[in-house]
Amino acid sequence: MVLTDILKRWQILQGKKAILCTGTDEHGMKIQRAASKAGSEPKPFCDKGAETFMNLASRAEVTHDHFVRTTDPDHREAVQYVWVWALKPGWQDSLKLTVTKYLLTQRGYIYSSRHEGWYSVSDETFYPQSAVHLILDPRTGRKIMTSVETGKEVEWTSESNYHFRLSAFKERLLEFYEQNPSFVVPASRMRDVIQAVSAGLEDLSVSRPVDRLTWGIRVPDDDTQTIYVWLDALINYITKAGYPWTPGQESAEGWPADCHVIGKDIVRFHCIYWPAFLLALDIAPPKQILTHAHWTLGRQKMAKSTGNVVNPFFALDRFGVDIMRFYLAHDGGISDDAGYDNEYIIERYKKLLQGGLGNLTSRVLRGKKWNVQRAVKRAEVPQESGSKDFSHLDGFMIQQNQLKALPDQVREQFVNLNPGGALKAIMSMISTTNKFMQYSSPWALTKSKAIADQENVDDIIFSCAEAIRICAILLQPYMPGTMHRLLDMLGVAEGRRSFEFAKFRADFEYGVSKVELGNGHEGVLFPPLT
């Protein structure tokens, strides 16, 4: 959720409208069994889970516009609409709906058949024989069949249900991937998807018998079948885009989505099944799907089943929202898994935030021998070179050239769906500026009465203040609360905090703090951890 929120806030920073949808998938065998094990009916069990995730989103300051629950009435209606138009000719007449293009049955995409195979309740999917193997469960000593891909236990199932002709979409999917080479990010997973589809696709079971799965959306014209949880869940992406649409209004509420953000373990469902469903309905797939790696704990994958997890509420309480958002964005893996450790959080905080940005901010804004506003105002008026001392020219050029290039570097990283790369570029700028200030030593120059030295002090302070201002603007998607305070400390006007002002010499109206700067640890941007 945090990664997606950063992407949304970046769009808003650029002055664009952005809508973030998140939520909970609440149907399927896994939920049905978990509720039974907890001694609860499925709906109250799901209510409790949804409340937890909504609270977590709020605590992490995720600015979602929609929290979609697949038990919501509008989502149920959208799923049933898809199914009605997908299965039975004549149903559109009985529902008195205008005939539209969503007639999959007439194209022969769905049929009824008997299905046998290995089913994973945890993954909510069937696996072919080639994708499962026999292992010895180290926890129980039992011999069990598991998915090679996920390691989850599978069980043999034989049943009659409905199938979607996924095999018919091999060429259309490959053509779509060729036309949209950045559809899946990173590129390594795009190659995996292409390879999987090129090897051939099996038709997909899209319902389960009611005598096995009661918790779900029933097939509208067949009470003996429950709609497959992934078909159900994936429809949520278009539910809040206004689906089913009035003809001509398909894009009115933002579809196709610019980006889905998912974990690498559900690539097949989102990058193969989902675009196939949409192509079958003549609906454009999302523009891109960002697939991130997993967090590990003690070099082991986090999993509720083993208890190898972190309580996010405890972490937020201990370190604070913005520190956790920073850490997750900085260390979180896109291509490769990342190791979660409290020591890493503390290390990043002390080195990058407290010792980096916090130290630079205190040095510049709390300096007693210079005036930030004076330095900013003086920089607005070009100065005559005259007898000015240029001994610091090399340092200026290195720092200012990096600063001038930073906004475009950050934008490029976001275009490539790499917020972590953008964050590292920003923090590199902070590091360079700290080194520049140390090298330039304005505190030493203040001892001189020479006019050139006084001018040099203002030049140094302005260049450092500009780095803080620009970095604070660019860091707003990551640490919104802390950066709001930092921009207040700089005295930056509310209307000058967007991306268009994240440029060198783009603002000469700051320098007087809107808040108390304090002394010592009091009022510092990043105080010592307790």
Side-chain angles (χ1 to χ4, degrees):
M1 288 193 291
V2 170
L3 178 60
T4 313
D5 184 62
I6 291 170
L7 292 172
K8 177 196 172 178
R9 289 176 183 267
W10 166 252
Q11 297 299 330
I12 292 175
L13 187 67
Q14 296 180 98
K16 300 177 182 179
K17 181 180 179 180
I19 299 172
L20 191 162
C21 297
T22 187
T24 47
D25 298 338
E26 300 183 358
H27 290 137
M29 186 70 73
K30 180 165 58 175
I31 297 296
Q32 181 175 298
R33 290 186 179 179
S36 177
K37 186 176 180 179
S40 170
E41 289 296 317
K43 186 58 167 63
F45 181 81
C46 291
D47 290 342
K48 184 177 179 180
E51 183 180 9
T52 298
F53 278 101
M54 283 190 277
N55 289 339
L56 180 58
S58 176
R59 284 283 286 113
E61 296 187 9
V62 173
T63 55
H64 58 85
D65 300 271
H66 302 292
F67 191 96
V68 184
R69 299 180 59 185
T70 56
T71 51
D72 289 341
D74 59 343
H75 173 74
R76 177 183 294 269
E77 290 171 7
V79 174
Q80 290 178 324
Y81 180 88
V82 167
W83 191 273
V84 166
W85 288 105
L87 281 180
K88 298 293 185 183
W91 260 81
Q92 59 272 25
D93 298 326
S94 65
L95 292 177
K96 297 182 180 179
L97 295 170
T98 302
V99 176
T100 70
K101 58 187 175 181
Y102 310 111
L103 298 170
L104 301 192
T105 313
Q106 294 183 0
R107 304 173 190 180
Y109 291 142
I110 292 184
Y111 62 95
S112 179
S113 178
R114 188 156 190 83
H115 188 92
E116 291 187 335
W118 296 100
Y119 191 82
S120 168
V121 173
S122 180
D123 299 333
E124 293 285 15
T125 188
F126 280 99
Y127 287 105
Q129 184 66 46
S130 59
V132 300
H133 60 174
L134 182 67
I135 69 163
L136 183 67
D137 187 347
R139 292 176 300 141
T140 63
R142 291 190 306 125
K143 289 183 178 181
I144 59 173
M145 296 295 291
T146 66
S147 161
V148 174
E149 179 183 354
T150 66
K152 300 298 184 182
E153 185 173 359
V154 296
E155 55 191 42
W156 182 258
T157 299
S158 178
E159 60 191 35
S160 294
N161 49 30
Y162 291 101
H163 289 67
F164 174 74
R165 293 191 191 278
L166 184 64
S167 58
F169 286 84
K170 174 182 174 180
E171 297 306 323
R172 288 187 65 182
L173 285 171
L174 291 175
E175 181 182 3
F176 172 76
Y177 300 148
E178 183 178 5
Q179 295 171 351
N180 300 272
S182 298
F183 175 60
V184 180
V185 177
S188 59
R189 294 200 187 102
M190 180 78 259
R191 290 192 293 270
D192 292 341
V193 168
I194 293 173
Q195 183 178 8
V197 175
S198 297
L201 298 171
E202 295 185 356
D203 288 353
L204 179 66
S205 170
V206 288
S207 71
R208 301 296 309 278
V210 166
D211 58 5
R212 290 188 174 173
L213 176 62
T214 59
W215 181 239
I217 300 175
R218 296 289 176 88
V219 172
D221 60 338
D222 186 349
D223 287 338
T224 69
Q225 295 283 316
T226 302
I227 296 174
Y228 175 46
V229 62
W230 272 107
L231 175 58
D232 167 1
L234 288 166
I235 298 300
N236 92 85
Y237 292 114
I238 54 177
T239 299
K240 291 306 179 183
Y243 183 84
W245 299 296
T246 301
Q249 297 298 308
E250 290 84 356
S251 301
E253 297 185 51
W255 193 265
D258 290 284
C259 183
H260 289 348
V261 181
I262 65 166
K264 67 177 184 178
D265 54 327
I266 50 176
V267 165
R268 179 158 44 95
F269 307 100
H270 284 79
C271 305
I272 299 177
Y273 298 172
W274 181 223
F277 292 151
L278 292 171
L279 290 172
L281 292 166
D282 284 340
I283 298 175
K287 296 176 183 178
Q288 286 188 291
I289 299 182
L290 173 58
T291 67
H292 60 76
H294 292 152
W295 285 95
T296 61
L297 185 62
R299 299 186 178 181
Q300 300 291 324
K301 181 182 175 182
M302 288 194 189
K304 290 189 218 174
S305 58
T306 61
N308 194 46
V309 293
V310 172
N311 187 316
F313 293 99
F314 291 171
L316 289 166
D317 289 340
R318 178 178 178 183
F319 296 110
V321 175
D322 280 357
I323 296 172
M324 287 305 302
R325 287 174 63 101
F326 176 89
Y327 170 69
L328 293 173
H330 186 275
D331 278 33
I334 299 298
S335 296
D336 301 312
D337 293 347
Y340 181 97
D341 195 305
N342 287 340
E343 291 301 318
Y344 295 159
I345 301 172
I346 295 169
E347 180 183 325
R348 306 295 181 267
Y349 179 80
K350 288 183 176 180
K351 181 179 179 180
L352 300 177
L353 297 180
Q354 189 179 52
L357 180 56
N359 180 51
L360 179 62
T361 299
S362 293
R363 278 175 146 185
V364 173
L365 299 187
R366 288 181 163 189
K368 302 297 184 183
K369 297 182 179 180
W370 51 73
N371 182 290
V372 174
Q373 185 186 35
R374 183 191 69 201
V376 171
K377 287 299 181 184
R378 184 179 166 279
E380 188 176 8
V381 181
Q383 302 294 309
E384 294 294 331
S385 58
S387 59
K388 188 174 178 180
D389 180 7
F390 286 94
S391 62
H392 302 294
L393 183 60
D394 288 345
F396 271 121
M397 293 301 292
I398 293 172
Q399 192 261 356
Q400 289 186 5
N401 285 342
Q402 185 177 344
L403 185 56
K404 291 173 183 177
L406 180 63
D408 286 339
Q409 290 176 349
V410 170
R411 177 163 48 193
E412 182 180 2
Q413 292 291 346
F414 270 100
V415 167
N416 294 329
L417 299 180
N418 187 11
L423 181 55
K424 289 178 174 66
I426 297 168
M427 299 315 295
S428 175
M429 184 70 249
I430 296 296
S431 176
T432 296
T433 305
N434 262 319
K435 292 174 183 176
F436 164 68
M437 190 169 189
Q438 187 66 33
Y439 168 76
S440 302
S441 303
W443 45 84
L445 295 174
T446 60
K447 298 175 183 179
S448 171
K449 294 183 179 181
I451 294 176
D453 286 337
Q454 294 299 320
E455 291 178 350
N456 274 339
V457 170
D458 283 346
D459 289 342
I460 294 166
I461 295 307
F462 173 71
S463 198
C464 292
E466 278 289 86
I468 297 172
R469 181 185 68 83
I470 292 170
C471 288
I473 290 173
L474 296 174
L475 284 169
Q476 288 177 102
Y478 303 90
M479 298 183 287
T482 305
M483 291 308 103
H484 186 276
R485 180 162 174 260
L486 176 52
L487 290 166
D488 280 351
M489 292 169 73
L490 281 167
V492 176
E494 292 282 350
R496 293 172 173 264
R497 300 183 180 188
S498 59
F499 183 74
E500 67 175 302
F501 290 97
K503 298 175 183 176
F504 188 61
R505 300 179 64 86
D507 186 1
F508 295 103
E509 303 299 322
Y510 70 97
V512 179
S513 178
K514 300 172 181 284
V515 296
E516 287 293 327
L517 296 177
N519 295 294
H521 291 322
E522 180 186 351
V524 297
L525 193 63
F526 297 106
L529 292 171
T530 56

